[in-house]
Amino acid sequence: MRISALRVAGAGLIVDGVDLEVSPGETVGLVGESGSGKSLTARAAAGLLPKGLRAEGSVAFDGREFLGARERRWRSVRGTRVSLLMQDPFAMLNPLRTAGAHIAESLRGRESRAEVARRLAEVGIDDPRVAGRHPFQLSGGMRQRVALAAALAGDPELLIADEPTTALDATTQHDILMLIKSVQAARGMGVLLITHDLRVAFELCDRVAVMYAGRVVEQGPAAELAKSPAHPYTAGLLAAVPAADRRLARLSGIRGSVPTAAQVAATCAFAARCDQATHACEEERPPLRELGPGRRTACLHEVRPRPHVEEATPPERPAAGAEVLRVTDLRKRYGGHVALGGVSLHVGRGETVGVVGGSGSGKTTLARCVLGLVAPDSGTVALADAVRPRHRLVQCVFQDPSTSLNPAMTVGAALAEAAAQGPEEGRLGVRELLELVGLPASYAGRRPAGLSGGERQRVAIARALSVRPELLICDEPVASLDVSVQAHVLELLREVGGSMLFITHDLAVVRQLADRLVVLSRGEVVESGGTAEVLDSPAHDYTRRLLASVPAIP
C-alpha cells in the first residue's frame, strides 16, 4: 500500500499531506499523541472515513487508485486485501453473534466448522467451543483474539491494527503482539500499526513514522529513531517514556497540547512546544528532508541529545504502624468465579502501595471493596478514621475521567460541589484546587469537553483531593493517556503525595510511583515487598512473566 499527499478535512483540516508506504512482510508503526491524525489516516487507507469527512490525495494498492472510488471498489479489497483491527473488539464484534459466526462471515463460503476451528487455532484459541460463544462470554484478551481471527479470515495482504492492545494487561498485550508478528511472518503480510505506546512500536515495527498535527514529522528504521531521534517531538516522546528498570528522579512530559493541522498549516507544527524553536520555525513549513537511507525529518535544526535523567534515591518508608488502610483476608466470589481469595495488604500514611496483575487478577474488585461499592463475602477493610464518612476517607481517580466529571457542569462548579462535601476547616477553594494540579484559574469556566485528556484527568484528581481524603485510590489513572500526558500526571501524583493505593497493569508506571508493591494473580497475593526489590529480584514465576512481557525500546 502506498499513501501519497493524503489530506483529510471536515469542518477544518485534520490530516495534511501524509506520505506512507507499507511493503509485504513489513511492519510500519504510526505513532503520536491523540489528535495527531493517526486513526483518521488509517481509516482513510481502508475507505472507512466517518460521514462529514472527505479525503484527497492517493491511496493505492498495486498501482490501483482507491481514494475517491465508489464503495463497490472498496469492498473488493476490504476484508480480502486489506483488513482493520480496532482497539476495542466490541467495535468489531456484534454482541448478538457468536465468535464462529464472525469468522465464518469473513471466510466467504468456506465457513465449515473445521475451517473456523483452524482460524481460531491460528490466533492461539485451541478450544473449538469458543466458536459457539458470544463476545460478552469472553475475556478481553480472548475477544481481541477472535477479532484478530475475523480480520485475518479473508487472508489480507495488509492488516491495519489501530491501538490493538491499549486496553490489555501486559501479558495479554505481549501475547497479541507476538501473535500478529508470527501470523505476519507465516503469511508475508504487511502491518500498519497505529499506537501511542512507543515501547510497543519500537519493539514490533521495522520502520516508524511519527505524526504530529496531521503530518509526518519524522520517519525511519525503528532502531535508528529510538537511538538518535532527529526531530524534537520524537525526542520529547522518548524522554517521557517511564523506565521499567529504575525509578527516575523526574518524569519529563512535553508542555502544551497538539494543535489542529489547520492552525499550523504554514509553520513548523511543533514550534509552539519546542525548546529549540527559532523565528525561522514560525516563518515556513519545514519539508521532510533526507538524512540517510530511509531517514527523513521535518526539522530545520540539529536535535540536541536527550538529557540524562538521574535515578531517584529510594523514598523514605513511613513509620511502622502509621496505617491509613488495612485489608485482611478479603474474599469475594461472583458465582463460581473467585475474584478475591483471601487478600491482605496495608497502606501506611504518606505511602504509595502499587497493586499489579493481569486481567481477572482481582485488582478492580479490591478497589471497589475498599471504596464500599462492593460488599466482600468475608474479611475486613479497616480505615484510619472510622468516624468520618467513607467518601471523606477514600476517593478514587478512575482510568476515564469522564466517569467522574459531569459534562454539563463547568470545572469550577464540579470542584465547588465536591469541596462542599469535605471538612470546613482548611477547605480549599476552586482556584487553590486548580493551582494544586497545575491548571490556571481560568479553567474554572470550562466544561470537560473543552479540555484535553490530560487536563480532564488533572481536574478529576483535584476533585478527588477536594474532600482531603486520607487515602487516594488510583485505578489505572494513566492507562488511556498519551506518553507525554502520562508523564505529567504521574509527576503531579508524586508532588501531591499523601497515601495512595495505585492500581495498574503497567510495571514501568508503578516503578515510578510506588514505595511497595503487591502482585495479584487470580485473586491471590503471589508476591509483595519494596517496589525495587520485587521488580529487580522477582521471587514468583508470575511476576517474572509480567516483567518479561514489558516491551523495551532498543
Side-chain angles (χ1 to χ4, degrees):
M1 178 194 69
R2 181 188 292 274
I3 298 173
S4 304
L6 179 68
R7 290 167 61 91
V8 177
L13 186 63
I14 304 171
V15 175
D16 187 11
V18 168
D19 295 331
L20 202 62
E21 184 174 356
V22 184
S23 300
E26 181 185 37
T27 300
V28 176
L30 195 57
V31 303
E33 293 172 276
S34 298
S36 61
K38 305 186 302 295
S39 290
L40 285 179
T41 297
R43 287 184 172 275
L48 292 172
L49 280 178
K51 288 183 178 180
L53 298 183
R54 62 187 183 279
E56 301 174 353
S58 173
V59 174
F61 297 93
D62 288 341
R64 290 184 64 197
E65 181 60 54
F66 281 83
L67 198 62
R70 294 181 180 274
E71 178 63 16
R72 186 174 181 178
R73 175 180 281 192
W74 275 111
R75 287 177 182 170
S76 69
V77 295
R78 193 187 301 129
T80 53
R81 300 197 63 184
V82 58
S83 195
L84 190 64
L85 178 66
M86 308 293 289
Q87 172 180 342
D88 183 1
F90 275 127
M92 295 182 63
L93 302 178
N94 186 331
L96 300 179
R97 306 189 70 188
T98 64
H102 284 95
I103 297 169
E105 182 181 33
S106 299
L107 289 172
R108 301 187 181 187
R110 295 171 290 159
E111 59 272 17
S112 69
R113 286 186 180 181
E115 184 64 16
V116 169
R118 189 180 76 80
R119 297 292 180 157
L120 287 172
E122 185 181 34
V123 297
I125 301 176
D126 296 321
D127 184 356
R129 292 175 298 179
V130 171
R133 294 174 187 165
H134 291 82
F136 69 88
Q137 296 173 303
L138 305 174
S139 67
M142 193 72 82
R143 282 194 296 270
Q144 194 64 296
R145 287 174 185 266
V146 170
L148 178 58
L152 295 175
D155 299 323
E157 299 168 29
L158 172 67
L159 176 68
I160 300 175
D162 190 358
E163 300 280 8
T165 62
T166 297
L168 303 177
D169 62 77
T171 53
T172 307
Q173 171 184 269
H174 180 266
D175 289 346
I176 295 294
L177 292 174
M178 292 304 101
L179 189 58
I180 292 174
K181 194 170 185 177
S182 66
V183 171
Q184 176 191 31
R187 295 185 176 195
M189 177 179 66
V191 175
L192 178 60
L193 177 69
I194 291 92
T195 181
H196 68 262
D197 190 329
L198 270 69
R199 289 175 297 185
V200 166
F202 284 109
E203 180 171 277
L204 196 70
C205 298
D206 303 303
R207 291 189 296 116
V208 171
V210 183
M211 276 195 78
Y212 185 79
R215 67 184 78 160
V216 173
V217 296
E218 183 170 7
Q219 58 181 273
E224 291 185 27
L225 257 67
K227 185 178 180 180
S228 56
H231 195 282
Y233 180 58
T234 311
L237 290 178
L238 286 166
V241 177
D245 60 346
R246 65 195 186 282
R247 179 168 175 150
L248 301 177
R250 178 179 53 84
L251 296 170
S252 176
I254 304 171
R255 58 185 170 85
S257 57
V258 182
T260 65
Q263 290 173 325
V264 291
T267 68
C268 170
F270 191 59
R273 303 173 71 188
C274 181
D275 295 331
Q276 295 180 233
T278 62
H279 184 65
C281 301
E282 299 175 355
E283 291 188 325
E284 62 177 299
R285 172 174 173 167
L288 273 171
R289 58 186 176 90
E290 296 285 342
L291 295 178
R295 287 295 307 271
R296 303 174 77 192
T297 184
C299 183
L300 300 174
H301 309 289
E302 292 293 327
V303 175
R304 301 186 192 118
R306 281 184 283 165
H308 175 70
V309 180
E310 296 294 333
E311 186 171 350
T313 55
E316 291 186 12
R317 296 280 182 86
E323 295 178 358
V324 297
L325 170 70
R326 178 164 285 276
V327 173
T328 305
D329 197 27
L330 210 62
R331 298 177 183 273
K332 180 65 181 179
R333 275 179 174 269
Y334 294 103
H337 173 66
V338 178
L340 297 174
V343 171
S344 298
L345 58 83
H346 69 278
V347 180
R349 193 173 301 279
E351 181 185 38
T352 295
V353 174
V355 179
V356 300
S359 299
S361 61
K363 304 188 303 295
T364 298
T365 299
L366 171 65
R368 291 173 69 83
C369 287
V370 175
L371 287 164
L373 300 175
V374 168
D377 298 331
S378 62
T380 60
V381 176
L383 294 164
D385 184 351
V387 178
R388 290 173 63 189
R390 190 183 289 251
H391 76 273
R392 291 187 184 179
L393 288 169
V394 187
Q395 283 286 301
C396 190
V397 179
F398 297 97
Q399 176 176 341
D400 183 358
S402 62
T403 60
S404 54
L405 299 176
N406 186 333
M409 295 180 70
T410 64
V411 168
L415 294 180
E417 179 187 62
Q421 305 299 314
E424 291 188 17
E425 183 180 354
R427 180 179 292 170
L428 294 176
V430 171
R431 179 185 291 270
E432 289 81 8
L433 285 168
L434 288 172
E435 288 178 356
L436 181 65
V437 296
L439 291 176
S442 59
Y443 275 49
R446 298 190 183 187
R447 286 183 167 77
L451 306 178
S452 69
E455 289 168 342
R456 283 195 294 270
Q457 195 63 294
R458 285 173 180 262
V459 172
I461 293 170
R463 191 177 190 277
L465 295 174
S466 64
V467 299
R468 298 167 63 193
E470 292 285 340
L471 175 69
L472 187 64
I473 296 179
C474 297
D475 190 359
E476 300 281 11
V478 297
S480 61
L481 301 179
D482 296 318
V483 64
S484 176
V485 178
Q486 172 183 274
H488 285 301
V489 171
L490 290 175
E491 194 64 30
L492 170 63
L493 289 171
R494 276 181 172 185
E495 293 170 2
V496 167
S499 306
M500 275 188 281
L501 189 66
F502 191 89
I503 295 167
T504 181
H505 66 263
D506 193 324
L507 298 185
V509 164
V510 82
R511 164 80 82 161
Q512 306 307 316
L513 212 65
D515 305 306
R516 288 191 297 109
L517 198 56
V518 174
V519 183
L520 286 183
S521 176
R522 298 181 180 180
E524 296 183 355
V525 176
V526 297
E527 188 164 0
S528 64
T531 300
E533 176 189 1
V534 171
L535 296 183
D536 292 340
S537 304
H540 197 277
D541 182 61
Y542 180 69
T543 311
R544 288 192 286 268
R545 283 193 285 120
L546 286 177
L547 282 163
S549 300
V550 178
I553 295 178

